[in-house]
Structures are given as C-alpha cells and as structure tokens.
Amino acid sequence: MRSLLLPLFLTVGLCASGRMASAQGEEQKPAIAVEKWSGKTIMLIGAHADDDALSHGTLAMLQAHSNQIYIVTLTTGNVGTQDPNLSRTQLAQIRRQEERAALGELGIPAEHYINLGYDDGLLEFEDRKAVLENLVRWIRKLRPDVLMAWDPGKNYQRWHKSDHRAASYLAADAARAAMWRLLFEGQITQEGLNEYMIPEYLFYNDYDHEDENTWVDISEFVEQKVNAGAKYISQFGPGWKNYKPNLSEVELKQMKDGVRGRIQMKDSKPVEGFRYYKGLPDAIGK
Ligand SMILES: [Zn+2]
C-alpha cells in the first residue's frame, strides 16, 4: 500500500510538510512524561460516548494536574443497544447523561463534553467533508496541545469496527486540514478563527497493543476510572439488554469489577497504553 501511495503523495498538493515530516524518528516518547503534564489543553475525539473510557485513568490524572480536557464525540450513540424497548431518541439521551456522569467522576466539567450529533453506526457514510469541517472548526477553536484519538495505524492501516474506523481517519485528517490556512478558509475569514497545527498526539486502541510506545501509570486514578466506567449502564452490564437507570448493589459491583478486570497491567502497575506521536500531521502514520 505504502509503495503505491508514496509517489502519489509526493506529487499531490500540500506535500511539503510530508517531506519535512518523513525525516522524523521512528520511535517517539514524550519529552515530559504524561504523568507530569500540566497546563495543557487536551482534545479527545471519539465516535461514541464511552470511547474515552479507554483513557479514563489518564484523563482523571490530566484533569487533576490542571490540564483543560475537552471530549468531542462524533455520534450520539443512538443505536447500540439490545434493549428492544428503547428508541433512538431515548438512547441518545441516556448516552449523553451517562457520558456526562462518567466525565463528572473524572472531574471534567459537563460543558467540556461536545457532541457533534451524528448517527451511531453510520459515521463513515456521512458527508466526510462536512464532518471534517466540523472537526477542524473545533480544533481551531480549542487549539489543543495534544489530540487523543483512535489510532489510524502506524505503517499499516489499523482495522477498527465501523465508526471507530471513520473516527480514526477523520481525526487525523482534521488535524492535517486545521493547519492549512486555505482549507475551510471561511472559518478564518468569517469566523475569526486561525489555522492551527496540533503538536502532540496520544493514539488509543482497544484490542491490540502492538504499536503502543507510552504507558501512563494510572495507579492513583484507578478508582476514578472504575467509578466512571460504571456509569455506562446502557452499554455494559444488565442495561445492555434491559435498560434501567439504577442498578442493584450486586449489579453495580459486577460492572465495576468488569472495568477493573479490563485494566492493562505493565510491570505490576495499572497502565493505559498509547501510541505517542509528535510532529506534523502528515506523518502520523510513519
Ligand atoms: Zn465506540
């Protein structure tokens, strides 16, 4: 794939940054450990309410360390249920309430949750240019120091299920588009925004960890992660098949045990793993 794309890439417009970026090293590490980050603006792009849950320990830590965190979720999550009695509208409302409750456990303000309102399950069939424009607008507004997103893949495209697949590429494409003054120029000439290049990235992934190069020690934030994860009643536990807003103590404990059981361990410490990348958006996959 790469051998076919590379020559094209070097002959298509906006390619100067690609040549600059390709000189960068293969393996990257944050210059300052994530555990020491402070005063940064962090933007997380996900497809669904709960996509950020993979990073809840890290987000709780970053929030505690005086960083500004914004969660941008592309879909309302209005499809993913096995409960035959829920409508799309009800599910979207439940997902919003659960997400805000989860973020509340992490200390992230409710107004830092931005939902772009697309339909669950159909993200890759949306008008890509319109979604991209929407994401670029938020990047230019928030001007994040760090973008967290589904990992689109390093060296090879990473397979994700639908919506995650779209979200990974849309986030990377939006990061790239945001830096070009003449792309979505109206945001600059009419809306008072400026072009912006995101300097650092933490890419997350849910089922394999082979490209991870950075592991955040979440030892002190496990309880917050567990409590936040237990807010997604409609996605996990008995609420998946038969939604109810409140669980019994036993059911709640089962949900918390489930979150706890999925935490990755490294060197006997609870961690969240990421692929860290620093540099021009053109080389996110290199
Ligand atoms: Zn998801």
Side-chain angles (χ1 to χ4, degrees):
M1 199 63 167
R2 175 180 268 198
S3 61
L4 284 173
L5 284 179
L6 196 57
L8 281 172
F9 175 67
L10 289 172
T11 56
V12 169
L14 309 187
C15 68
S17 61
R19 284 192 288 271
M20 287 156 62
S22 63
Q24 294 176 358
E26 279 288 310
E27 198 59 58
Q28 298 205 6
K29 292 275 176 198
I32 300 168
V34 177
E35 290 86 344
K36 300 233 157 52
W37 285 2
S38 180
K40 287 183 186 282
T41 298
I42 318 276
M43 175 178 177
L44 185 147
I45 296 176
H48 310 114
D50 94 332
D51 285 0
D52 47 282
L54 294 165
S55 313
H56 273 175
T58 303
L59 293 171
M61 168 189 293
L62 291 168
Q63 179 68 29
H65 293 174
S66 304
N67 298 281
Q68 293 285 325
I69 298 165
Y70 294 88
I71 307 294
V72 176
T73 302
L74 284 151
T75 80
T76 60
N78 59 355
V79 169
T81 183
Q82 292 294 313
D83 185 334
N85 297 313
L86 286 179
S87 70
R88 283 180 168 230
T89 305
Q90 286 171 317
L91 193 54
Q93 287 167 342
I94 290 165
R95 292 277 151 85
R96 181 173 182 82
Q97 176 269 321
E98 289 178 352
E99 178 64 19
R100 284 163 65 115
L103 296 180
E105 291 288 336
L106 310 179
I108 297 173
E111 64 269 23
H112 285 203
Y113 175 54
I114 297 144
N115 192 296
L116 300 186
Y118 297 102
D119 275 334
D120 192 0
L122 294 174
L123 188 55
E124 55 200 306
F125 307 102
E126 294 288 347
D127 179 336
R128 283 184 61 83
K129 186 180 172 190
V131 182
L132 202 63
E133 182 168 17
N134 220 341
L135 284 176
V136 167
R137 179 178 285 109
W138 278 104
I139 290 170
R140 287 173 172 171
K141 271 188 192 172
L142 299 175
R143 306 176 76 76
D145 299 294
V146 181
L147 178 67
M148 298 174 74
W150 284 109
D151 192 346
K154 176 177 181 288
N155 298 321
Y156 299 98
Q157 290 188 357
R158 182 172 295 283
W159 187 89
H160 293 287
K161 70 176 180 180
S162 185
D163 286 352
H164 294 181
R165 188 161 63 226
S168 68
Y169 278 87
L170 286 163
D173 291 349
R176 183 167 190 259
M179 67 178 278
W180 295 97
R181 178 177 57 86
L182 298 177
L183 275 180
F184 305 119
E185 186 188 14
Q187 294 176 1
I188 291 167
T189 61
Q190 310 302 317
E191 299 178 30
L193 298 172
N194 287 308
E195 68 271 29
Y196 180 70
M197 194 192 95
I198 302 170
E200 291 181 280
Y201 300 81
L202 285 174
F203 291 110
Y204 55 81
N205 185 35
D206 58 347
Y207 64 95
D208 75 54
H209 303 287
E210 62 189 45
D211 285 339
E212 290 173 357
N213 57 16
T214 299
W215 294 270
V216 179
D217 178 356
I218 60 163
S219 297
E220 292 173 35
F221 301 91
V222 166
E223 290 315 304
Q224 274 180 279
K225 180 181 173 80
V226 167
N227 291 336
K231 296 295 183 190
Y232 299 109
I233 293 174
S234 70
Q235 306 214 43
F236 303 102
W240 174 241
K241 290 195 167 172
N242 181 16
Y243 176 73
K244 51 183 177 177
N246 297 302
L247 298 178
S248 71
E249 265 185 48
V250 172
E251 290 167 334
L252 184 61
K253 183 177 181 308
Q254 283 171 344
M255 273 196 77
K256 290 187 178 186
D257 288 347
V259 178
R260 212 182 292 277
R262 289 191 291 272
I263 293 175
Q264 193 183 348
M265 299 295 291
K266 190 175 173 64
D267 302 328
S268 307
K269 286 181 181 164
V271 297
E272 287 171 346
F274 299 94
R275 179 166 72 87
Y276 172 83
Y277 171 77
K278 181 184 174 96
L280 290 159
D282 271 13
I284 279 170
K286 292 186 181 174

